[in-house]
Amino acid sequence: MAELSRKRKRASLLCPHCDRMLSNTAYYHHRALHYISHPEDIRGLDRGTWIRDANLSQPTATDNHVADRISDNVAESVETANMDLTDERTDSVSDQSDQSSTAGTSDSDDGVRDPDEKENELDEVEIWPDEQLPEEEAAYSSPIPESVNAEEGRHMRVVRFILTLILVWQSVCNIPDRAVCLLIRVIRFIFLSMHQCHGHEFLSTLYQLIPLSLSTVRRRLGIDRDMFEKYVSCPSCHSVYRFVDSYEVKSTGRKVSKHCSYVNFPRNRSQASKKPCGAILLKTVRRKHGEETLLPKRVYCYRSLVESFTELTNRRNLVAQCNEWRQRDIPPDTLEDVYDGNVWKSFYNGDGSGFLDSERNFLVTLNVDWFQPHKHCADTVGALYLAIQNLPRSTRYKFENIIMVGIIPGPREPKYTMNSYLDPLVEELEQFWEGIRIDDGSSEGNVYRVALTCLSADIPASRKCGGFVGHGGKK
């Protein structure tokens, strides 16, 4: 019954080209081929022209009435839907959660894949409208072209003022992104309605300059929200690749996704153990105008330690706070904080000198954990973040002092190990052990050194970080 209800839900859009109820994917495919767009098109309200199938008769009044009712229902459902995700992606997530709950699978079954499924993925093409493309497309596709010129500077200043005021209101009042995105679309629709009523070109220009998505608003205003470096993560074995290494260009100029080349046991004598993973890394997304682009199936977001420490060291009194532990006065043989432990007191350099003798040498703690980003859903997302042990305990774990390292994609945890997600962090920690000169606001900058001395995680996460057998393993 659940499968039948999902199928009925997908076939919910009437295609004016062929007069049939189609799924979202088929509908947008027909729209890309047989729809002539209009400059005043907005999401859910088509003002353009559909090219009808020549084999169909002209629509009757009853057909037009039914199409109008369906169009109104689609527009009403779009207003309440999530602004950042398409209906197709939502259906796929719900399918995965239903299948996982029905089969009763656990995190340990994440690596099992059907061989026939891999072959079917070669022809998989998703069709999304331009305004529904995910935010991460900006990191892999061409940059957004500037939509204004010198003559439109006055209009753009008004738009910037409105958008900046909205983002300040969101930050002060802690408003969710979905509500802000809906507000921006409402303001855009108000400008369009006023232009249609009064005919002022100024209002029409404002309507055209206001972006459709919140991510575009931040990019237009030059606001870098995360500064993450994005990698392509294998959906099967969780291997990590750079985007430029995850596709190949054919002789025709078309980009095609590569398969995962990770081998779990490369030195095993058995040929079956030397077989690569072979999962598809990228998916093909077709725009409404027929253009195709490649997007990762899973994205691993990593934040550089150099950039994080550059931001921290430019804050006032941070280095002074990290050295307050030197003035502590406690009774002997008393353990009050990490500073009183043997590791802190006996952590030396390679030449035998104390690592913490320098005021700009820091020890950090790596925290690893998974959480559920949505209610009533079994999907999990992981987080890697660092805490500076040199800071006082009262401010050590405050939000502004936490260093976000990486976000591990879901919907399941890595099965055995997570070394691929730790590789970028390990490379930067090796550089920090030798010392990196950071622009901390001084004339020439200063050399900072960082060392990892502690891992804070539960038992499953600690086993995966160390590459050891899980707490329920028998071999």
Side-chain angles (χ1 to χ4, degrees):
M1 293 299 293
E3 183 67 23
L4 292 177
S5 63
R6 286 195 295 271
K7 290 183 179 179
R8 295 192 190 102
K9 181 179 179 182
R10 289 178 180 177
S12 59
L13 297 179
L14 176 66
C15 177
H17 167 71
C18 56
D19 282 345
R20 290 188 302 169
M21 300 296 294
L22 303 177
S23 64
N24 292 322
T25 302
Y27 172 81
Y28 286 117
H29 177 64
H30 283 211
R31 179 187 172 92
L33 298 177
H34 309 292
Y35 177 73
I36 302 176
S37 60
H38 191 272
E40 297 182 355
D41 276 351
I42 60 177
R43 188 179 180 186
L45 298 176
D46 296 335
R47 300 179 182 273
T49 304
W50 282 88
I51 302 176
R52 291 180 54 81
D53 192 347
N55 298 326
L56 298 177
S57 59
Q58 294 297 325
T60 62
T62 304
D63 296 334
N64 291 334
H65 178 67
V66 174
D68 292 340
R69 291 183 58 187
I70 294 176
S71 178
D72 294 341
N73 293 335
V74 172
E76 182 180 356
S77 62
V78 167
E79 292 178 359
T80 58
N82 192 331
M83 294 299 179
D84 299 326
L85 301 178
T86 61
D87 295 336
E88 184 67 21
R89 297 176 68 196
T90 306
D91 292 339
S92 63
V93 172
S94 62
D95 292 347
Q96 293 176 4
S97 61
D98 291 340
Q99 293 173 3
S100 61
S101 61
T102 303
T105 57
S106 61
D107 294 344
S108 60
D109 298 331
D110 181 51
V112 181
R113 294 174 55 88
D114 188 2
D116 296 334
E117 180 183 355
K118 298 180 182 179
E119 299 297 332
N120 295 334
E121 286 179 347
L122 291 174
D123 299 329
E124 177 185 0
V125 177
E126 297 185 14
I127 304 174
W128 295 350
D130 289 347
E131 63 270 12
Q132 294 179 347
L133 287 175
E135 295 185 7
E136 59 263 21
E137 184 204 6
Y140 307 107
S141 60
S142 58
I144 299 178
E146 293 293 337
S147 60
V148 296
N149 50 36
E151 297 179 357
E152 297 174 332
R154 181 168 62 93
H155 306 83
M156 196 59 195
R157 284 196 296 269
V158 176
V159 173
R160 286 180 178 273
F161 174 76
I162 295 175
L163 298 179
T164 304
L165 188 63
I166 292 176
L167 293 185
V168 171
W169 169 69
Q170 179 193 18
S171 177
V172 173
C173 300
N174 196 20
I175 306 299
D177 289 354
R178 181 178 176 183
V180 175
C181 189
L182 179 60
L183 176 61
I184 293 175
R185 290 174 180 267
V186 169
I187 295 176
R188 193 171 185 267
F189 183 75
I190 290 175
F191 285 146
L192 175 61
S193 302
M194 295 175 64
H195 166 67
Q196 294 175 348
C197 294
H198 302 284
H200 295 301
E201 293 299 329
F202 180 78
L203 298 174
S204 176
T205 306
L206 293 181
Y207 160 76
Q208 296 175 4
L209 292 179
I210 294 180
L212 286 171
S213 63
L214 192 56
S215 59
T216 307
V217 171
R218 293 192 177 100
R219 290 197 297 271
R220 292 284 178 85
L221 296 178
I223 300 176
D224 296 327
R225 192 179 184 187
D226 45 36
M227 295 293 292
F228 280 102
E229 183 179 358
K230 299 180 181 180
Y231 294 86
V232 178
S233 176
C234 175
S236 178
C237 65
H238 292 268
S239 299
V240 175
Y241 300 86
R242 295 187 180 275
F243 183 77
V244 295
D245 300 330
S246 58
Y247 68 89
E248 58 182 351
V249 181
K250 297 295 185 179
S251 58
T252 58
R254 184 172 180 265
K255 295 181 180 180
V256 180
S257 172
K258 289 184 178 180
H259 295 258
C260 179
S261 58
Y262 175 75
V263 179
N264 196 10
F265 302 103
R267 299 182 181 179
N268 197 302
R269 296 183 179 180
S270 175
Q271 295 297 327
S273 301
K274 297 181 180 181
K275 185 178 180 181
C277 172
I280 300 293
L281 300 176
L282 306 177
K283 59 184 176 182
T284 303
V285 174
R286 182 177 297 166
R287 301 170 181 261
K288 65 179 181 181
H289 298 295
E291 300 177 0
E292 292 186 355
T293 183
L294 293 176
L295 293 180
K297 290 195 170 184
R298 291 184 182 177
V299 179
Y300 171 55
C301 299
Y302 177 78
R303 180 91 187 273
S304 173
L305 285 185
V306 178
E307 296 179 358
S308 299
F309 272 97
T310 301
E311 293 183 2
L312 289 175
T313 53
N314 277 274
R315 284 165 38 187
R316 182 179 301 178
N317 298 330
L318 178 73
V319 177
Q321 291 180 4
C322 291
N323 289 276
E324 290 181 1
W325 63 274
R326 303 180 187 274
Q327 286 77 34
R328 296 170 68 248
D329 185 14
I330 60 172
D333 300 332
T334 302
L335 300 178
E336 291 186 354
D337 206 341
V338 65
Y339 316 122
D340 306 319
N342 293 329
V343 175
W344 185 273
K345 297 178 179 179
S346 59
F347 197 81
Y348 300 109
N349 295 312
D351 56 0
S353 59
F355 180 82
L356 295 171
D357 291 346
S358 175
E359 296 181 352
R360 292 179 174 82
N361 289 0
F362 300 145
L363 298 183
V364 295
T365 300
L366 175 62
N367 300 266
V368 182
D369 199 2
W370 277 263
F371 61 94
Q372 294 181 349
H374 306 290
K375 294 183 179 180
H376 313 295
C377 183
D379 298 346
T380 59
V381 177
L384 304 173
Y385 55 97
L386 297 175
I388 302 178
Q389 301 176 11
N390 302 56
L391 287 171
R393 188 168 51 185
S394 58
T395 60
R396 186 178 305 159
Y397 293 99
K398 286 189 174 182
F399 176 79
E400 60 270 16
N401 296 328
I402 293 296
I403 302 175
M404 193 66 195
V405 176
I407 301 177
I408 303 175
R412 295 291 181 269
E413 300 181 17
K415 185 177 180 181
Y416 298 117
T417 180
M418 49 180 294
N419 288 341
S420 57
Y421 297 121
L422 297 175
D423 284 343
L425 175 62
V426 173
E427 293 178 1
E428 286 199 294
L429 286 176
E430 291 179 349
Q431 298 176 8
F432 265 109
W433 177 256
E434 301 296 333
I436 296 179
R437 184 172 297 277
I438 294 179
D439 183 11
D440 55 359
S442 59
S443 58
E444 299 180 357
N446 293 284
V447 176
Y448 289 82
R449 298 180 61 195
V450 179
L452 177 65
T453 59
C454 182
L455 171 64
S456 177
D458 54 11
I459 294 179
S462 61
R463 298 295 186 271
K464 293 176 182 178
C465 288
F468 301 118
V469 178
H471 62 285
K474 298 181 180 180
K475 294 183 180 179

Short mmCIF file of all heavy atoms in Angstrom, two decimals, residues 138 141-147 213 215-217 219-220:
data_model
loop_
_atom_site.label_atom_id
_atom_site.label_comp_id
_atom_site.label_asym_id
_atom_site.label_seq_id
_atom_site.Cartn_x
_atom_site.Cartn_y
_atom_site.Cartn_z
N ALA A 138 26.72 25.85 -7.04
CA ALA A 138 27.57 27.02 -7.23
C ALA A 138 29.05 26.69 -7.07
O ALA A 138 29.90 27.37 -7.62
CB ALA A 138 27.18 28.12 -6.24
N SER A 141 29.68 24.52 -10.74
CA SER A 141 29.33 25.07 -12.04
C SER A 141 29.95 26.44 -12.21
O SER A 141 30.65 26.94 -11.34
CB SER A 141 27.80 25.13 -12.19
OG SER A 141 27.25 25.96 -11.19
N SER A 142 29.65 27.06 -13.33
CA SER A 142 30.20 28.38 -13.60
C SER A 142 29.61 29.41 -12.66
O SER A 142 28.48 29.26 -12.18
CB SER A 142 29.89 28.77 -15.05
OG SER A 142 28.49 28.75 -15.27
N PRO A 143 30.34 30.48 -12.34
CA PRO A 143 29.82 31.49 -11.42
C PRO A 143 28.61 32.21 -11.99
O PRO A 143 28.39 32.26 -13.20
CB PRO A 143 31.01 32.45 -11.23
CG PRO A 143 31.85 32.24 -12.44
CD PRO A 143 31.69 30.80 -12.83
N ILE A 144 27.81 32.77 -11.08
CA ILE A 144 26.61 33.48 -11.49
C ILE A 144 27.00 34.77 -12.18
O ILE A 144 27.78 35.56 -11.66
CB ILE A 144 25.74 33.78 -10.26
CG1 ILE A 144 25.33 32.47 -9.60
CG2 ILE A 144 24.52 34.60 -10.63
CD1 ILE A 144 24.51 32.66 -8.36
N PRO A 145 26.49 35.02 -13.38
CA PRO A 145 26.85 36.26 -14.06
C PRO A 145 26.21 37.45 -13.40
O PRO A 145 25.15 37.36 -12.77
CB PRO A 145 26.28 36.04 -15.48
CG PRO A 145 25.16 35.07 -15.28
CD PRO A 145 25.59 34.17 -14.16
N GLU A 146 26.85 38.58 -13.52
CA GLU A 146 26.28 39.80 -12.97
C GLU A 146 25.06 40.21 -13.78
O GLU A 146 25.09 40.27 -15.00
CB GLU A 146 27.34 40.92 -13.02
CG GLU A 146 28.50 40.70 -12.10
CD GLU A 146 28.10 40.77 -10.64
OE1 GLU A 146 27.07 41.39 -10.35
OE2 GLU A 146 28.80 40.19 -9.81
N SER A 147 23.97 40.50 -13.07
CA SER A 147 22.71 40.81 -13.74
C SER A 147 22.46 42.31 -13.83
O SER A 147 21.40 42.73 -14.26
CB SER A 147 21.56 40.15 -12.98
OG SER A 147 21.51 40.63 -11.66
N SER A 213 16.50 32.54 -4.69
CA SER A 213 16.94 31.67 -3.60
C SER A 213 17.78 32.46 -2.61
O SER A 213 18.43 33.47 -2.96
CB SER A 213 17.73 30.48 -4.13
OG SER A 213 18.92 30.92 -4.77
N SER A 215 20.50 31.36 -1.15
CA SER A 215 21.93 31.18 -1.43
C SER A 215 22.42 32.21 -2.44
O SER A 215 23.53 32.74 -2.32
CB SER A 215 22.18 29.77 -1.96
OG SER A 215 21.43 29.54 -3.14
N THR A 216 21.57 32.53 -3.45
CA THR A 216 21.95 33.56 -4.42
C THR A 216 22.00 34.93 -3.76
O THR A 216 22.85 35.76 -4.11
CB THR A 216 20.94 33.57 -5.58
OG1 THR A 216 20.83 32.25 -6.12
CG2 THR A 216 21.40 34.51 -6.68
N VAL A 217 21.14 35.18 -2.81
CA VAL A 217 21.16 36.45 -2.08
C VAL A 217 22.49 36.62 -1.36
O VAL A 217 23.12 37.70 -1.42
CB VAL A 217 19.99 36.51 -1.08
CG1 VAL A 217 20.13 37.72 -0.17
CG2 VAL A 217 18.66 36.56 -1.81
N ARG A 219 25.36 35.21 -2.06
CA ARG A 219 26.46 35.38 -3.02
C ARG A 219 26.45 36.76 -3.63
O ARG A 219 27.51 37.35 -3.87
CB ARG A 219 26.37 34.30 -4.11
CG ARG A 219 26.70 32.91 -3.63
CD ARG A 219 27.00 31.99 -4.80
NE ARG A 219 25.86 31.82 -5.68
CZ ARG A 219 24.93 30.88 -5.55
NH1 ARG A 219 25.01 30.03 -4.54
NH2 ARG A 219 23.94 30.79 -6.41
N ARG A 220 25.26 37.32 -3.91
CA ARG A 220 25.19 38.66 -4.47
C ARG A 220 25.69 39.71 -3.48
O ARG A 220 26.30 40.70 -3.86
CB ARG A 220 23.74 38.96 -4.85
CG ARG A 220 23.23 38.12 -6.01
CD ARG A 220 23.76 38.61 -7.34
NE ARG A 220 23.30 37.77 -8.44
CZ ARG A 220 22.14 37.91 -9.06
NH1 ARG A 220 21.31 38.88 -8.69
NH2 ARG A 220 21.80 37.11 -10.04
#
